[in-house]
Amino acid sequence: MSYTIQEIAEALGAKALGAIDLKIDSVAEPAEATASQLALAMKPEFAAQIAAGQARAAMLWEGADWESLGLEAAILAPRPRFALAGLSAMMDPGQGWATGIHPSAVVDPAAELADDVSVGPLAVICAGARIGAGTVIGPHCFVGADCVIGEGGFLREGVRIGARVRIGARFTAQPGAVIGGDGFSFVTPEVSGVERARETLGDQGDVQKQSYARIHSLGSVTIGDDVEIGVNACVDRGTVRDTRIGNGTKLDNLVQVGHNVVVGNDTLLCGQVGIGGSTVIGNNVVLAGQTGVGDNLFIGDNAITGGGTKVLANIPAGRVMLGYPAMKMESQMEVYKGLRRLKRLFADVAELKKTVSNDAESN
Amino acid sequence: MSYTIQEIAEALGAKALGAIDLKIDSVAEPAEATASQLALAMKPEFAAQIAAGQARAAMLWEGADWESLGLEAAILAPRPRFALAGLSAMMDPGQGWATGIHPSAVVDPAAELADDVSVGPLAVICAGARIGAGTVIGPHCFVGADCVIGEGGFLREGVRIGARVRIGARFTAQPGAVIGGDGFSFVTPEVSGVERARETLGDQGDVQKQSYARIHSLGSVTIGDDVEIGVNACVDRGTVRDTRIGNGTKLDNLVQVGHNVVVGNDTLLCGQVGIGGSTVIGNNVVLAGQTGVGDNLFIGDNAITGGGTKVLANIPAGRVMLGYPAMKMESQMEVYKGLRRLKRLFADVAELKKTVSNDAESN
Amino acid sequence: MSYTIQEIAEALGAKALGAIDLKIDSVAEPAEATASQLALAMKPEFAAQIAAGQARAAMLWEGADWESLGLEAAILAPRPRFALAGLSAMMDPGQGWATGIHPSAVVDPAAELADDVSVGPLAVICAGARIGAGTVIGPHCFVGADCVIGEGGFLREGVRIGARVRIGARFTAQPGAVIGGDGFSFVTPEVSGVERARETLGDQGDVQKQSYARIHSLGSVTIGDDVEIGVNACVDRGTVRDTRIGNGTKLDNLVQVGHNVVVGNDTLLCGQVGIGGSTVIGNNVVLAGQTGVGDNLFIGDNAITGGGTKVLANIPAGRVMLGYPAMKMESQMEVYKGLRRLKRLFADVAELKKTVSNDAESN
């Protein structure tokens, strides 16, 4: 598939300049671009590399002096990273899977598939599942009993959806993602040391040996539209009601969302984030990689955490947090500065003690 | 399936009050309950929501004044969360899988399956595997050569068990769990920088470029009775002897247990916990989410960690730990308080230095 | 398979002593060894356990007085842990899989498999894939379109390789590993709060509600020779160019490598390590378990991190780091010492303030 510079610019709502009939078949970093590729140099610091490659056209930042870079054509975008979203969708070669239902797939006759659903080799679709128009179920995928998956979904290889999970339109799931595992919910016959330590903040009292009884997950998972779930990430079923993920929310690889959790709309959970059971997370939240959030907490809309933040208490809306335990980012930065000067502080205080004690003696 | 209030109460060892012949077909949160559902309001703070729903019966805390809540019947339990374990087992609709051995499964003729074992579509069971009565092997599961799985097990979709793993009775594994991957064990021909840095606590000396040789895992994994393993969690094989998980122990999603680790009985490893190789963890331990434990450490019975704790040294029995590095929870709380006042402390010391220096001059 | 003491010693380049014709069929820890097993007692502290077992021969450290330990034969190695690598390779019983292409596997006729490639039951190999001599594709594995996998590879059950991934020789992948999931790359139409908070280190300014557009991953993944990937670990595709893993590098279980990342040669990423997008990691680096590295960072050759380290800034070559945020290990140790004495420091300063203030008054 190839496109002219003009076609690309029109699709992106960007400006086409120069030889706008030039044909492009794919994109590349500037230094590696061939003559039929569009070089991506979306910040001035990448411009110098254009000369190192063979590109005749490039996507550049707004206001770039493209002719001085030796190009024959250019696409200028006011927010090039946003333009890249549309451009990458046009250029995506995809996974190359065949359409249709592969004969090796095991599709229960009581499943309802819209006419143009594709099912890959060795996938399993259980009775009562309903799958919307245009959705692609990849190789080795599993779709459980009575699941609903909306239209336009794309499940990469080996995705697993447990029974009764309901998912909206345009769902994307990366390989090995699991929706609808059982919640991790166990209870001892008598009050446990953990329950006491939580109340006392550290004292578990007299401990008895106890075994755990399992609380089954009777709820399922409800997922909105335009959600993406990363590689080997998991969202557990709720105990009584469903665990819920809102519209437009994206989970990265190896993310864990516990039972009963509610995640709002347009929220990003980055790689290896973990959310404890029954926690509520608002809209437009961004939790950076390896952030951990305890159970039964609340994180307000537009909150942000930095990488590795451990959240042990509620976070109000709009707050930017960092560290373990999570503090406002500015406060945490102050703490970090203090820690680096801590050794010096001990020395200062020791010195002061000596001086003051000498003063006292000399008085 | 439906039950009377009396049948439920009897099964749970709880008290049935009021219209004990009322039939219940499932459970719900109080505000969402229909007339045929049992509302769960196990703490006084949830009682107010009963009126918002349609429930005619509820499970309540011991001593609750159920009649004043407008209910026709009630179940009272001294520890309602424990009662929920039994109740949820009665009400669990399960995954809806067919019983028997699916024709698409690949079962080696030299595997021994008890008469009532079920094997889902596209599962693989290797030669020499022995699977106990009533165990359900889900779709896409893999059971390796010479594995033993006890009776009453339930393997959700896509669980993988490597060769020679031995597992007790009533094993539960969530989708994508892996038992018996190879240990992460590599060695350089000469002493490495890491080995030196561990000895010196930070100095790796003169570093040479070296490649790694692989130490194969000759051991396997031995797992006791009543163990549950979470979604995409993994337990690696031992190097010479088996990695071991005791009876009644539960691992949550994305937990990693390294080679040679020994975990005791009735221990909980919560979401994304990681245990380094050869570490020994006692009985009735609880490691909260994202806890990390280094290799070759010892964690005593009844120890507890808070979320995100990083354990770099042994933990004695019964200790409640928090933070990075792990400290006793009380000490860590003191540290956190101190950190929040650290900026002030620097200011105080600066002020003191000025005062003392002025005093010295004025003397 | 059994070997004489002499054969083993020759294979390992070690010394055989005593009854060198003694036959050994496997290895064991000293206390559990039977008469036909080689006891492994590679440090003096394990020697005492030899008497508790039945071993007639042992692998011991250089200079060990093997006869006084009651043994008939011994193998002495100058670096016994390195010798164990070779020994364990000889003794590995493997997974016991049949060779050849299982009839239930779905192999596209347009895939090119070298003559002695094995493909396990229910594996899928797509069109255009090329697989080198001697490589074993395990049960339930997926190899995407136009992938290249070199010779001598071993893919355990359920490994998934996305389209166009290129992998060198002697590749090992543990169960559930995923190479070539799509990168986690989303962009808002206007500048987002996260972008502003990163610039200001904490202030996200006026926040507007925005939804995300997806940036597709047009690049793939290139992996060198002698690489191993752990259970359920994942390496994402690059956005424009490939994500790259060098020769001899090993990733442990549940490791996450983001899009565009470059990892050098002979580097170890231990359990649950996470690497943010576009970060560059050098050669001979070791990142201990649960280390997290932010996006767009640089970690120099021979750098080492301790367990749980959170890397928020570049690390120069050769540096040994620990903590959150990462500091030089020595500095972090000083900080930890300071934190434990922090309460005391506050008390000292309070005391000083009182003394100085009294002095001032008495003056």
Side-chain angles (χ1 to χ4, degrees):
Chain A
M1 183 89 79
S2 76
Y3 300 94
T4 65
I5 292 294
Q6 182 165 31
E7 286 167 341
I8 294 170
E10 271 172 16
L12 305 181
K15 262 179 278 188
L17 299 167
I20 61 177
D21 292 333
L22 204 66
K23 287 219 164 184
I24 292 302
D25 57 19
S26 57
V27 301
E29 299 201 342
E32 292 161 13
T34 65
S36 65
Q37 290 185 307
L38 182 71
L40 300 182
M42 302 186 300
K43 292 179 181 177
E45 56 261 45
F46 300 130
Q49 296 171 33
I50 290 176
Q54 307 300 318
R56 300 167 64 195
M59 184 154 85
L60 303 169
W61 63 100
E62 182 95 338
D65 180 4
W66 61 278
E67 288 174 299
S68 77
L69 294 169
L71 295 165
E72 298 170 35
I75 297 173
L76 304 193
R79 184 159 159 80
R81 200 172 147 75
F82 184 68
L84 179 57
L87 179 62
S88 66
M90 291 174 78
M91 297 291 179
D92 191 348
Q95 292 297 311
W97 298 343
T99 53
I101 297 181
H102 195 275
S104 67
V106 178
V107 180
D108 193 287
E112 293 174 40
L113 278 56
D115 278 355
D116 55 352
V117 165
S118 289
V119 181
L122 303 171
V124 174
I125 302 185
C126 295
R130 284 182 290 144
I131 300 181
T135 287
V136 174
I137 306 292
H140 289 138
C141 284
F142 174 83
V143 179
D146 300 317
C147 281
V148 178
I149 301 178
E151 60 184 37
F154 185 55
L155 280 65
R156 288 275 305 263
E157 57 273 22
V159 171
R160 305 195 167 97
I161 315 283
R164 295 176 299 283
V165 168
R166 289 178 305 173
I167 298 176
R170 295 170 300 280
F171 178 64
T172 302
Q174 300 297 327
V178 174
I179 312 296
D182 296 326
F184 191 73
S185 192
F186 297 93
V187 59
T188 48
E190 309 294 331
V191 174
S192 71
V194 168
E195 288 171 86
R196 274 195 230 100
R198 282 187 160 219
E199 268 173 35
T200 59
L201 294 180
D203 181 8
Q204 59 172 316
D206 273 351
V207 189
Q208 319 156 255
K209 188 168 166 314
Q210 297 190 81
S211 292
Y212 289 92
R214 184 176 204 268
I215 297 178
H216 289 239
S217 295
L218 306 179
S220 184
V221 180
T222 299
I223 291 182
D225 296 331
D226 300 299
V227 169
E228 177 155 349
I229 307 286
V231 177
N232 289 339
C234 35
V235 182
D236 277 358
R237 322 174 75 75
T239 306
V240 175
R241 58 168 175 73
D242 284 9
T243 300
R244 293 202 301 265
I245 309 278
N247 298 320
T249 284
K250 321 290 184 184
L251 275 62
D252 196 359
N253 299 355
L254 297 171
V255 165
Q256 145 73 349
V257 174
H259 57 281
N260 302 337
V261 166
V262 177
V263 183
N265 300 327
D266 296 320
T267 277
L268 298 188
L269 305 184
C270 301
Q272 298 176 321
V273 161
I275 312 291
S278 300
T279 280
V280 175
I281 297 180
N283 303 316
N284 296 92
V285 170
V286 179
L287 303 185
Q290 296 190 341
T291 291
V293 184
D295 56 331
N296 289 285
L297 296 178
F298 172 84
I299 298 189
D301 293 348
N302 298 300
I304 297 174
T305 64
T309 297
K310 304 302 168 198
V311 180
L312 307 179
N314 294 338
I315 300 182
R319 201 56 76 74
V320 182
M321 307 291 284
L322 181 67
Y324 181 17
M327 294 184 197
K328 280 207 259 188
M329 193 177 277
E330 307 93 275
S331 312
Q332 194 65 263
M333 291 297 187
E334 286 293 334
V335 167
Y336 291 165
K337 262 188 259 172
L339 288 178
R340 285 171 198 281
R341 293 186 297 146
L342 200 56
K343 193 176 173 183
R344 174 98 183 236
L345 186 69
F346 275 98
D348 282 357
V349 171
E351 183 68 24
L352 269 171
K353 283 167 74 172
K354 216 190 299 173
T355 310
V356 169
S357 142
N358 288 348
D359 285 1
E361 277 171 32
S362 66
N363 281 3
Chain B
M1 184 89 80
S2 75
Y3 301 93
T4 64
I5 292 293
Q6 182 165 31
E7 285 166 343
I8 294 170
E10 269 171 17
L12 306 181
K15 260 178 277 185
L17 299 166
I20 59 176
D21 292 335
L22 205 65
K23 287 218 163 183
I24 291 301
D25 57 20
S26 58
V27 301
E29 298 201 344
E32 292 160 14
T34 64
S36 66
Q37 289 185 308
L38 182 71
L40 300 182
M42 303 186 300
K43 290 179 183 179
E45 55 261 44
F46 299 129
Q49 295 171 35
I50 291 177
Q54 307 301 319
R56 299 166 66 195
M59 184 153 86
L60 302 169
W61 63 98
E62 182 94 339
D65 179 4
W66 62 278
E67 288 175 299
S68 77
L69 295 169
L71 295 165
E72 297 170 34
I75 297 173
L76 303 193
R79 183 159 160 80
R81 202 174 144 74
F82 184 67
L84 179 58
L87 179 62
S88 66
M90 291 174 77
M91 296 291 179
D92 191 349
Q95 292 296 313
W97 299 342
T99 54
I101 297 181
H102 195 276
S104 67
V106 178
V107 181
D108 193 287
E112 292 174 39
L113 279 56
D115 279 353
D116 55 353
V117 164
S118 288
V119 180
L122 303 170
V124 174
I125 302 185
C126 295
R130 284 181 290 144
I131 300 181
T135 287
V136 173
I137 307 294
H140 290 137
C141 283
F142 174 83
V143 179
D146 300 318
C147 281
V148 178
I149 300 178
E151 60 184 36
F154 184 57
L155 279 65
R156 288 277 305 264
E157 57 273 23
V159 170
R160 306 194 166 96
I161 315 283
R164 296 176 298 282
V165 169
R166 289 177 306 172
I167 298 175
R170 295 170 301 281
F171 178 65
T172 304
Q174 299 298 326
V178 174
I179 312 296
D182 295 328
F184 192 71
S185 193
F186 297 94
V187 59
T188 48
E190 307 296 329
V191 173
S192 70
V194 169
E195 288 171 86
R196 275 196 229 100
R198 282 188 160 219
E199 266 172 37
T200 60
L201 294 181
D203 181 9
Q204 58 172 316
D206 273 349
V207 189
Q208 319 157 256
K209 190 169 165 312
Q210 296 190 80
S211 292
Y212 289 93
R214 183 177 206 267
I215 297 178
H216 290 239
S217 295
L218 307 178
S220 185
V221 180
T222 299
I223 291 182
D225 296 330
D226 300 299
V227 168
E228 178 155 347
I229 307 287
V231 176
N232 288 339
C234 34
V235 181
D236 276 359
R237 321 176 75 76
T239 306
V240 175
R241 57 167 175 75
D242 284 7
T243 301
R244 292 203 301 265
I245 309 277
N247 298 320
T249 284
K250 320 290 184 185
L251 275 62
D252 196 359
N253 298 356
L254 297 170
V255 164
Q256 145 74 349
V257 174
H259 58 280
N260 302 338
V261 166
V262 177
V263 183
N265 301 326
D266 297 319
T267 277
L268 298 188
L269 306 183
C270 300
Q272 298 175 322
V273 161
I275 312 290
S278 300
T279 281
V280 176
I281 297 180
N283 303 316
N284 297 91
V285 169
V286 179
L287 303 185
Q290 295 189 342
T291 290
V293 184
D295 57 331
N296 288 288
L297 296 178
F298 172 84
I299 298 189
D301 293 347
N302 299 300
I304 298 174
T305 64
T309 297
K310 304 302 169 200
V311 180
L312 306 180
N314 294 338
I315 301 182
R319 203 53 77 75
V320 182
M321 307 291 283
L322 181 67
Y324 179 19
M327 293 183 197
K328 280 206 258 189
M329 193 177 276
E330 306 94 273
S331 312
Q332 195 65 265
M333 291 297 186
E334 286 292 334
V335 167
Y336 291 165
K337 263 189 260 170
L339 288 178
R340 285 170 197 280
R341 293 186 298 146
L342 200 56
K343 193 176 173 184
R344 174 100 184 233
L345 187 69
F346 275 98
D348 283 356
V349 171
E351 184 67 24
L352 270 170
K353 283 168 75 173
K354 215 190 299 171
T355 310
V356 168
S357 143
N358 286 348
D359 286 1
E361 277 171 32
S362 67
N363 281 5
Chain C
M1 184 88 79
S2 76
Y3 300 93
T4 65
I5 291 293
Q6 182 164 30
E7 285 166 341
I8 295 171
E10 269 172 17
L12 305 182
K15 262 179 277 187
L17 299 166
I20 61 177
D21 292 334
L22 204 66
K23 287 220 164 184
I24 290 302
D25 57 19
S26 58
V27 301
E29 298 201 344
E32 292 161 12
T34 64
S36 65
Q37 290 184 307
L38 182 71
L40 300 182
M42 303 186 300
K43 291 180 182 177
E45 56 262 44
F46 300 130
Q49 295 170 35
I50 291 175
Q54 308 300 321
R56 299 167 63 193
M59 184 152 86
L60 303 169
W61 63 99
E62 183 93 340
D65 179 4
W66 61 278
E67 287 174 299
S68 78
L69 294 169
L71 295 164
E72 297 171 35
I75 297 173
L76 303 194
R79 184 160 159 78
R81 201 174 146 74
F82 185 68
L84 179 58
L87 178 62
S88 66
M90 291 174 78
M91 295 292 180
D92 191 348
Q95 291 297 311
W97 299 343
T99 53
I101 298 182
H102 195 274
S104 68
V106 178
V107 181
D108 192 286
E112 293 175 38
L113 278 56
D115 278 354
D116 55 353
V117 165
S118 288
V119 180
L122 303 170
V124 174
I125 301 186
C126 294
R130 284 182 289 144
I131 300 180
T135 288
V136 174
I137 307 292
H140 290 136
C141 283
F142 174 82
V143 179
D146 300 317
C147 281
V148 178
I149 301 178
E151 60 183 38
F154 184 57
L155 280 64
R156 288 276 305 261
E157 57 273 22
V159 170
R160 305 194 166 97
I161 315 284
R164 296 176 298 284
V165 168
R166 289 178 304 173
I167 298 175
R170 296 170 300 281
F171 178 64
T172 303
Q174 299 297 326
V178 174
I179 311 297
D182 295 327
F184 191 73
S185 191
F186 297 93
V187 59
T188 49
E190 309 295 331
V191 173
S192 70
V194 168
E195 288 171 87
R196 276 197 228 99
R198 282 188 160 217
E199 267 173 34
T200 60
L201 294 181
D203 181 8
Q204 59 172 317
D206 274 350
V207 189
Q208 318 157 256
K209 189 169 166 310
Q210 296 190 82
S211 291
Y212 289 92
R214 183 176 206 267
I215 297 178
H216 289 239
S217 295
L218 307 178
S220 184
V221 181
T222 299
I223 291 181
D225 296 330
D226 300 299
V227 168
E228 177 154 350
I229 307 287
V231 176
N232 289 339
C234 34
V235 181
D236 276 359
R237 320 174 77 75
T239 306
V240 174
R241 57 167 177 74
D242 284 8
T243 301
R244 293 202 301 265
I245 309 277
N247 298 321
T249 285
K250 321 290 183 185
L251 276 62
D252 196 359
N253 299 355
L254 298 171
V255 164
Q256 145 74 349
V257 174
H259 56 282
N260 303 336
V261 166
V262 177
V263 183
N265 301 326
D266 297 320
T267 277
L268 298 188
L269 306 183
C270 300
Q272 298 176 320
V273 161
I275 312 292
S278 300
T279 280
V280 175
I281 296 180
N283 303 317
N284 296 91
V285 170
V286 178
L287 304 184
Q290 296 190 340
T291 290
V293 184
D295 57 331
N296 289 285
L297 296 178
F298 172 84
I299 297 189
D301 293 348
N302 298 301
I304 298 174
T305 63
T309 297
K310 303 302 169 199
V311 180
L312 306 179
N314 294 337
I315 300 182
R319 203 55 76 75
V320 182
M321 306 291 283
L322 180 68
Y324 179 19
M327 293 183 197
K328 280 207 259 187
M329 193 176 276
E330 307 91 275
S331 312
Q332 194 65 264
M333 291 297 187
E334 285 294 333
V335 168
Y336 291 166
K337 261 189 260 171
L339 288 178
R340 286 170 197 281
R341 293 185 298 146
L342 201 56
K343 194 176 172 183
R344 175 100 183 230
L345 186 69
F346 275 97
D348 283 356
V349 171
E351 183 68 24
L352 271 170
K353 282 167 75 173
K354 215 190 300 174
T355 310
V356 169
S357 143
N358 287 348
D359 286 1
E361 276 170 33
S362 65
N363 282 5

